[in-house]
Amino acid sequence: MEETQTTAAKGKRTDIRTLWTLFKTCFIISGCTFGGGMVIISMLQKKFVEELKWIGQEEVMDLVAIAQSCPGVMAVNTSIIIGYRIAGVFGALLTVVGTVLPPMIILTIISACYVQFRSNQIVALILKGMQAGVAAVMINVTITMSGNVLEKKEALSAVMLAAAAVAILMFDVDVILVILICGLISGFVTVGKLRKGAAK
C-alpha cells in the first residue's frame, strides 16, 4: 500500500508511453466490459491500482465517490478523473475518448442491423450469460470497497456504510442523496477534528 501511495504521489506523467497506456487501457476495458459503470471501475482499479500502481486504493474510492455524485455516465466520469489525476488535462481527454469510442463504434454497428440483432436467439442467450458475470464483478467491487472502509476500524465509517446500504436496498433512497449526506457528515466531522487540533 505504501508503495502504491508513493508511486501515486509522484505527480502527473506526460510522457508518450504513459499517455498511450491511458488511452489503450480505457479503450480495451470499455470495449470488453459489459454491465455499466461499476464493472468498468473494477477493471480500472485492477489496472491502475494493482498492476500499474499509479494511484492508491483509497484514492480510487474517493474518485468513485466524486464520479458517482457528478452528472453524466459514471464510467466516463471516473475515467476523466483518473486521466486528469495521472496526466493532467490531456490525460483526461485521452481517457474520455478511449472510454467513449468503443461503445460508440459498437452501437453504430448494432443500430445499422438492429432488427436482425434483436431477433437473434444466440445473441439473446449470450447477453443472458453475461448478466451472471456482471453480477459477480459487481459483488466483487462491493466486497473490496467495503473491506477497505472497514479496515480503517472507524466507527463512523462503518455506521455510515451500514446505514447507506439499508437506505438504498430497503427504502430505495436515491444514491446521489445518500452520497451527499455521507459527504456532509464526514465534512462536519473533519472540520470538528481540525478545530479541536487547532485549539490544542
Side-chain angles (χ1 to χ4, degrees), residues 145-163:
M145 291 190 168
S146 299
N148 291 326
V149 172
L150 297 174
E151 271 181 6
K152 298 178 182 179
K153 297 181 179 179
E154 295 179 357
L156 178 61
S157 296
V159 169
M160 285 197 297
L161 176 63

Side-chain angles (χ1 to χ4, degrees), residues 4-53:
T4 302
Q5 290 175 338
T6 303
T7 306
K10 288 181 179 179
K12 293 181 174 57
R13 306 154 178 259
T14 55
D15 57 283
I16 298 297
R17 186 176 179 181
T18 299
L19 295 175
W20 168 246
T21 302
L22 275 173
F23 175 80
K24 179 182 69 174
T25 300
C26 289
F27 186 90
I28 293 173
I29 290 175
S30 180
C32 302
T33 306
F34 300 86
M38 291 305 296
V39 179
I40 291 180
I41 286 168
S42 173
M43 302 299 292
L44 292 173
Q45 175 186 350
K46 290 183 182 298
K47 184 66 177 182
F48 291 112
V49 177
E50 298 176 12
E51 185 178 332
L52 297 173
K53 300 185 184 300

Side-chain angles (χ1 to χ4, degrees), residues 5 8 27 32 37 43 60 64 72 76-77 92 98 100 102 117-118 124 139 142 153 157 178 188-189 192:
Q5 290 175 338
F27 186 90
C32 302
M43 302 299 292
V60 168
V64 170
V76 176
N77 291 349
V100 171
F117 186 86
R118 182 186 60 180
I139 291 171
T142 303
K153 297 181 179 179
S157 296
V178 171
F188 284 128
V189 171

Side-chain angles (χ1 to χ4, degrees), residues 75-96:
V76 176
N77 291 349
T78 306
S79 67
I80 291 173
I81 297 173
I82 290 177
Y84 183 79
R85 170 65 183 84
I86 295 171
V89 175
F90 195 54
L93 291 173
L94 283 176
T95 52
V96 72

